[in-house]
Every structure is written in structure tokens, then in C-alpha cells.
Amino acid sequence: MEVDVVIVGGGIAGLWTLDHLRRQGYRAVLVENRALGHGQTVSSQGIIHGGLKYSLKGVLTASADEIREMPVLWRDCLSGVAEPNLSKTAIRSHSCYLWQTRALASQAGMLGAQLNLRVKPKEIPEAQRPEILRQTPGHVYRLDEQVLSPASLLECFRSRLAGYLMKVDEADGISLEQEKSGQINSVVLRENGRELTVHCRAVVLSAGAGNALLSKESGREHAMQLRPLHMTLARGPLPMFQGHCIDGAKTRLTVTSDYLRDGRTVWQLGGNLAEQGTKQQADELIRHAAAELQETLPAIDLDEVEFATYRIDRAEKQVRLGLRPDSPQILRHGNALTCWPTKLAFAPRCAERISAMLKKELRIEAGDDEWKPDELADWNMPAVAAAPWETVETWYTADGTPIPSELRRAS
Ligand SMILES: Cc1cc2nc3c(=O)[nH]c(=O)nc-3n(C[C@H](O)[C@H](O)[C@H](O)COP(=O)(O)OP(=O)(O)OC[C@H]3O[C@@H](n4cnc5c(N)ncnc54)[C@H](O)[C@@H]3O)c2cc1C
């Protein structure tokens, strides 16, 4: 099979890039060795950030500057008025709350205005606050950053891109074949005993944490950093709620909500809790998370809530002192482009830049938007990865005691 571009890795970076390249008329396919979004994308909290979180110190950091256009761009795609049409994605909320635990001077509202963010926080009068925020003493704001269900976003891309997605074996499913010059001319794909050689003009490595291994195997070692998180899940009789608890310049807690298969609610707890939690065992983190919830959301009732935790790394291009990069990162080595979007929200930027590099630096022109490879008709498509609450094994009470499976309330 002959293509312009092979994309390796079907998280948000690879999928958005494939969609973008296909719409431009590139002959492109994507290969995935586990399930779409396995790793970071399916675990992400699904917030389309607009920069406020990165401006809490009162300065417009490079991150905030770069990201402020993203909510508008995503909103147009999610509502189906721009391509890619992502209107089948489940939106969990069109906005997030910001709240403070102490009655400090109104800081967040001023910041949004001063820093000229596109999405500015709007203060909410006490009577209009959701029940869960009624007893918080500080200011409460609404921030029009959408929160989406990452699994349904992945499902939406999977159906848009059917016919261009290929599942390969988890181990040894892909070999990058290169010339002495380092140019990758073909990729050999293996699945269940069969093999296909795909000749290509460029390769995009969008395999998240897997980029390190792929780059190493092809002699293009790039410095990558992993920033660990220990996330907490809480399921049971909880309201759908999305928000950041702000403490000074820090996000003390980020809460996002989704639905379990039985229709009940599950919360993901990130922010400082998850960054600091990497040093804690599951039971310890759960006790801390329950205390943080009780302190930051005094109206919450945790009596019937079950908790779990999981560990996950954010994979990024290495930057000085292990800080977070400000923007999507793409490194070119010959005809291989290795990318890390840094944020789910940055996926569109990442795709645009890859496409520009293909044209300007690799001189690969697009042209065939009708192309549909026959070879893929009977090749398996990758499934969408399971959400973290579907794969964790042990659930605990708020005091960190494991709950035997027959006594668990939700499933
Ligand atoms: C807990 C958490 C919460 C987050 N919340 C947010 C948020 O609210 N908003 C936001 O903007 N960002 C958020 N992020 C960041 C965001 O999730 C990531 O920046 C983004 O999902 C990275 O996407 P990716 O496509 O680069 O990688 P991944 O999603 O990790 O995808 C990589 C894919 O490559 C595949 N792969 C790996 N190795 C190979 C191989 N050898 N061959 C073929 N395929 C391979 C994997 O199976 C996977 O499907 C969060 C991250 C985490 C961890």
C-alpha cells in the first residue's frame, strides 16, 4: 500500500491530525496497538482550557497566551459549525465553576479582564449557585470552558475516520523501516499473523508515552518527560458538577463528572490533589481526598460515596526543570515528526502545525480527498479505550477501607 503519511498512535493528537490531513486530501492512515486514547486521552478530565488556570499568578504566561483561542475553536467543532464536526461528542457541561474556600477579595474576575482572556470568569450571585456550592464562603464564578466526555470524543473520531484506522498487535505490531540516511520509507504492520507493508513519505509519531520507545527504535531518541498524577475517582449519589477550587495561584482541586454505565455519577478529582498524591498510597490519598472534598465543598454528603484511585503519567517533550511545556511540541527528524500536544485542548494546533511542516519542510503536497484504501476493508479497527472508572479494580469507603465487590453500590 502507498500513502503520504502513516500516523502511529490514536490518542487525540493522532486522531485530530489524521482528520485534518484527510480533509486536506492527504493519503493518510493511523495505526494503534491497543485502543484509541489508551493512556492519557481517555483518562483526561475533558476540560477545554482557555487560559485562566495558567494566569492565576496575574501574568499572561505563554501557556495562557497560546491556549486562549482553543475554547472558541472547539466550541465550533462541538456544535458542528466547523470541521471536524464533533457534534456527536457528549458534552458534560458548557462551563466550569471556579470557587474559593476563603472569602478573599475577588481575584479571578479581575484577572480574566486584565489579561484579555477570551473566556472570562463571571461572578455568580449566591442565590444562583448550584446546591453543592451554597455553603462555600468565597466568591464563585462561571467560566465558559466546555467539559466533554473523552470516551465519546474518541468514539466520534472513530466513526468519522473508519476506513483509515488500523489495529496492530500490541507487541511488535509496527516496524519502522529506514534507509541509511535515516529516511523512513515504509512501515511494516502486523496483526494476528498477517503482515502489510505500507510505503510512506512521512511518519507522525503521536504515541504519547510510547513515543520514547518508537523514537529509540528508529534511532531518533528524543528527550521526553513524564509528569505523574495519582487521580481519585468518587462514585455514588453525587451531582453532575465541573469546577476548579482555587487557592491563591494554585488549583487545589479540579472536579469533573461523567456517567457510569448504570447512569450514576462518577467524579474525577485532579489538580494539586493528584500532583501531591503521587507520594501517597491509595488508601492514604482517599482519606486526604475525602477531607479535601469536605473542606472545599461543605455541602457534600459522602456517606454512600465509593472511592478509587489510579496512577497515570502525562507525557510531554522534556523542558527545563520538568516544568510543563507552554504549547504543543513537534520535533522533526528527517521525515519523522514526533508530537506531544501537551493538552487535549491543543490537539487542533498540533494538527495544523504538523500539516504545515509536511508542506513547508517536507514538501509533501496533498491532493486526493477521495482516496479510500481497499487494503483496509478487512483490517480490524481499534476499539475506544475504556474509561478509568471501568478498569479500576478496588473501591474504598471514604476512610480508605476496601469494599468487597458484593457490597459495592454502583457498577
Ligand atoms: C489525568 C489527566 C487529565 C487530563 N486532563 C486534561 C484536561 O482536562 N484538558 C486538557 O486539555 N488536557 C488534559 N490532560 C492532558 C491530555 O490528556 C493529553 O495532553 C493528551 O490526551 C495527549 O494525547 P496524545 O494523543 O498525545 O497521547 P495519548 O492519549 O496517550 O495517546 C497515545 C496513543 O498511542 C498509542 N500507542 C502507544 N504506543 C504505540 C505503539 N507503539 N504503536 C501504536 N500505538 C501506540 C496508545 O495506545 C494511545 O492510544 C490530562 C491528562 C491526564 C493524564
Side-chain angles (χ1 to χ4, degrees):
M1 185 164 77
E2 303 252 346
V3 304
D4 296 318
V5 186
V6 174
I7 300 171
V8 183
I12 191 61
L15 291 167
W16 201 300
T17 301
L18 176 65
D19 202 297
H20 188 86
L21 297 184
R22 285 290 314 122
R23 277 181 283 118
Q24 297 212 316
Y26 281 104
R27 294 173 167 233
V29 291
L30 181 148
V31 287
E32 166 60 53
N33 74 345
R34 287 178 166 220
L36 300 175
H38 173 88
Q40 301 167 84
T41 303
V42 83
S43 310
S44 97
Q45 292 196 269
I47 304 170
I48 307 304
H49 297 289
L52 188 83
K53 194 179 155 193
Y54 308 113
S55 332
L56 292 171
K57 290 195 174 117
V59 282
L60 189 66
T61 59
S63 278
D65 191 29
E66 178 92 24
I67 212 164
R68 64 179 159 180
E69 309 298 327
M70 292 301 107
V72 178
L73 196 156
W74 275 81
R75 204 172 287 273
D76 285 350
C77 296
L78 291 166
S79 61
V81 300
E83 289 289 352
N85 180 335
L86 302 177
S87 54
K88 294 210 174 102
T89 302
I91 313 262
R92 295 309 179 212
S93 177
H94 288 282
S95 56
C96 290
Y97 290 99
L98 285 183
W99 82 100
Q100 292 168 313
T101 45
R102 286 167 291 158
L104 296 171
S106 168
Q107 179 202 20
M110 275 159 27
L111 281 180
Q114 270 169 14
L115 301 174
N116 197 22
L117 295 176
R118 288 279 180 104
V119 175
K120 298 184 178 63
K122 297 177 192 95
E123 185 148 11
I124 305 192
E126 216 153 327
Q128 287 171 24
R129 294 181 188 179
E131 201 63 44
I132 190 93
L133 288 172
R134 289 275 159 89
Q135 293 172 33
T136 52
H139 296 269
V140 174
Y141 305 88
R142 208 187 67 224
L143 187 62
D144 289 337
E145 292 182 351
Q146 290 186 300
V147 185
L148 49 83
S149 150
S152 91
L153 172 70
L154 291 160
E155 205 58 75
C156 185
F157 273 113
R158 185 177 185 268
S159 63
R160 283 178 63 82
L161 299 168
Y164 305 93
L165 301 174
M166 307 175 75
K167 168 78 178 76
V168 293
D169 292 339
E170 194 172 323
D172 297 326
I174 300 173
S175 307
L176 306 174
E177 309 280 306
Q178 54 188 324
E179 290 182 337
K180 279 207 187 106
S181 64
Q183 184 84 356
I184 300 174
N185 284 339
S186 59
V187 181
V188 179
L189 306 177
R190 297 179 202 90
E191 198 226 4
N192 277 333
R194 63 176 170 163
E195 202 171 279
L196 178 69
T197 300
V198 182
H199 299 280
C200 59
R201 302 172 69 196
V203 174
V204 172
L205 301 180
S206 52
N211 278 344
L213 187 64
L214 285 164
S215 308
K216 194 171 175 192
E217 279 172 1
S218 65
R220 299 165 155 72
E221 220 160 324
H222 296 311
M224 184 179 93
Q225 68 185 24
L226 295 175
R227 287 191 305 127
L229 291 171
H230 194 177
M231 302 292 290
T232 305
L233 303 171
R235 66 180 185 182
L238 293 165
M240 280 302 273
F241 172 66
Q242 332 285 342
H244 304 283
C245 175
I246 304 298
D247 201 350
K250 283 216 144 68
T251 309
R252 180 167 173 182
L253 187 68
T254 294
V255 180
T256 50
S257 310
D258 212 318
Y259 294 107
L260 300 166
R261 281 178 200 270
D262 65 8
R264 295 199 227 183
T265 310
V266 59
W267 282 14
Q268 277 231 78
L269 308 178
N272 228 26
L273 177 77
E275 291 189 358
Q276 300 303 317
T278 55
K279 299 174 209 118
Q280 294 170 312
Q281 298 300 315
D283 58 336
E284 228 180 311
L285 174 59
I286 284 166
R287 283 191 291 276
H288 181 49
E292 283 289 273
L293 285 174
Q294 213 75 73
E295 205 175 309
T296 58
L297 294 168
I300 202 168
D301 178 357
L302 297 177
D303 272 0
E304 292 181 26
V305 174
E306 299 177 343
F307 291 83
T309 73
Y310 70 96
R311 291 179 189 271
I312 183 149
D313 291 327
R314 289 160 294 179
E316 299 158 352
K317 178 180 166 270
Q318 193 169 55
V319 292
R320 221 167 33 92
L321 304 173
L323 298 170
R324 182 191 49 237
D326 291 320
S327 55
Q329 302 291 317
I330 304 161
L331 298 174
R332 182 167 82 83
H333 197 296
N335 67 342
L337 305 177
T338 306
C339 69
W340 293 273
T342 306
K343 291 256 125 215
L344 178 88
F346 273 138
R349 277 282 176 277
C350 194
E352 280 164 20
R353 288 185 191 164
I354 288 172
S355 154
M357 286 170 87
L358 289 174
K359 274 195 201 85
K360 288 194 191 123
E361 297 184 28
L362 295 173
R363 309 253 171 244
I364 304 176
E365 289 299 330
D368 188 357
D369 49 4
E370 296 297 314
W371 177 74
K372 187 133 201 183
D374 296 337
E375 292 89 336
L376 263 56
D378 64 343
W379 198 278
N380 282 331
M381 279 233 291
V384 166
W389 47 89
E390 287 171 0
T391 54
V392 291
E393 282 170 8
T394 311
W395 290 85
Y396 300 79
T397 55
D399 66 3
T401 309
I403 309 170
S405 53
E406 63 280 11
L407 296 182
R408 291 178 198 160
R409 292 171 197 270
S411 60

